[in-house]
Amino acid sequence: MEEARQAARKFGQYFKMRHNQHGREDWVNIQWKPATIQHTFQRDGVSCGVFVMQMAKSVVEEFPRIPQIVKINPTKKQMCQYRGQMALDILRGSVLRDEYCSVCGLRDLPQSKKTCVWIQCERCQRWFHLECLKIAIPAKDVQWFCVLCLNPADSQA
Ligand SMILES: [Zn+2]
Ligand SMILES: [Zn+2]
């Protein structure tokens, strides 16, 4: 609870500073209160980011109500599914830029001795390094669609 109290105080200080420096009015008059949310515990040593993102997602989805408990299925299989879903969400929210790979965000693969092989999605026109997708070069007469176009957002709800 003491850490939550400190965090609440720092939030208040941050928004006051933002108000003073940049004149932003939003969130400056909120009374930040410390609280704790019960949550499922992580089972492995590598899924902290997945847990944090899932917890943040529950809070945002229930806003302005604060969830009392956040349940996350901590199995390896579910962690894998969360990772895949988050990758799709991030990719879907990304800005489409012609000269950059939509997975790694780079033009050229760093320290790669191989020549970069690029592929463009027939539908959304995003470009990808084949190496980032870990796929082989598709046959010449085959139309290729990226993971976003194969998993449209409206079919996932
Ligand atoms: Zn790439
Ligand atoms: Zn696409």
Side-chain angles (χ1 to χ4, degrees):
M1 242 351 225
E2 184 46 36
E3 285 178 358
R5 206 166 284 122
Q6 283 179 23
R9 197 173 54 238
K10 286 190 173 166
F11 262 80
Q13 288 169 350
Y14 170 76
F15 287 106
K16 270 197 194 96
M17 178 279 294
R18 198 175 72 145
H19 173 70
N20 295 337
Q21 299 287 316
H22 306 289
R24 298 279 303 265
E25 297 284 339
D26 52 324
W27 293 37
V28 75
N29 292 321
I30 291 178
Q31 277 287 331
W32 296 92
K33 283 181 269 175
T36 54
I37 299 172
Q38 282 185 26
H39 60 86
T40 326
F41 283 96
Q42 185 184 335
R43 280 195 199 152
D44 60 27
V46 294
S47 298
C48 323
V50 177
F51 260 74
V52 168
M53 292 305 287
Q54 292 306 314
M55 290 166 76
K57 192 176 173 187
S58 319
V59 171
V60 168
E61 281 173 354
E62 291 192 39
F63 188 81
R65 216 179 67 78
I66 303 294
Q68 293 295 299
I69 183 163
V70 174
K71 287 181 183 165
I72 297 164
N73 178 350
T75 60
K76 199 173 178 178
K77 189 179 168 198
Q78 188 58 48
M79 288 299 112
C80 217
Q81 282 179 357
Y82 284 139
R83 280 176 205 279
Q85 188 54 53
M86 290 189 307
L88 279 178
D89 290 344
I90 291 168
L91 192 55
R92 193 169 288 120
S94 69
V95 177
L96 187 150
R97 293 189 60 190
D98 258 3
E99 297 143 31
Y100 298 89
C101 167
S102 294
V103 170
C104 68
L106 301 171
R107 275 176 198 241
D108 303 308
L109 291 170
Q111 287 138 14
S112 175
K113 288 178 184 96
K114 291 177 233 166
T115 330
C116 289
V117 183
W118 293 83
I119 189 166
Q120 186 178 32
C121 175
E122 303 268 356
R123 189 167 160 219
C124 72
Q125 312 293 303
R126 281 182 169 81
W127 283 96
F128 299 86
H129 292 129
L130 273 190
E131 196 163 335
C132 289
L133 297 171
K134 307 206 182 318
I135 59 168
I137 301 173
K140 269 190 181 145
D141 50 350
V142 172
Q143 278 200 316
W144 182 79
F145 299 103
C146 78
V147 66
L148 283 181
C149 293
L150 293 175
N151 298 278
D154 45 23
S155 75
Q156 288 169 10

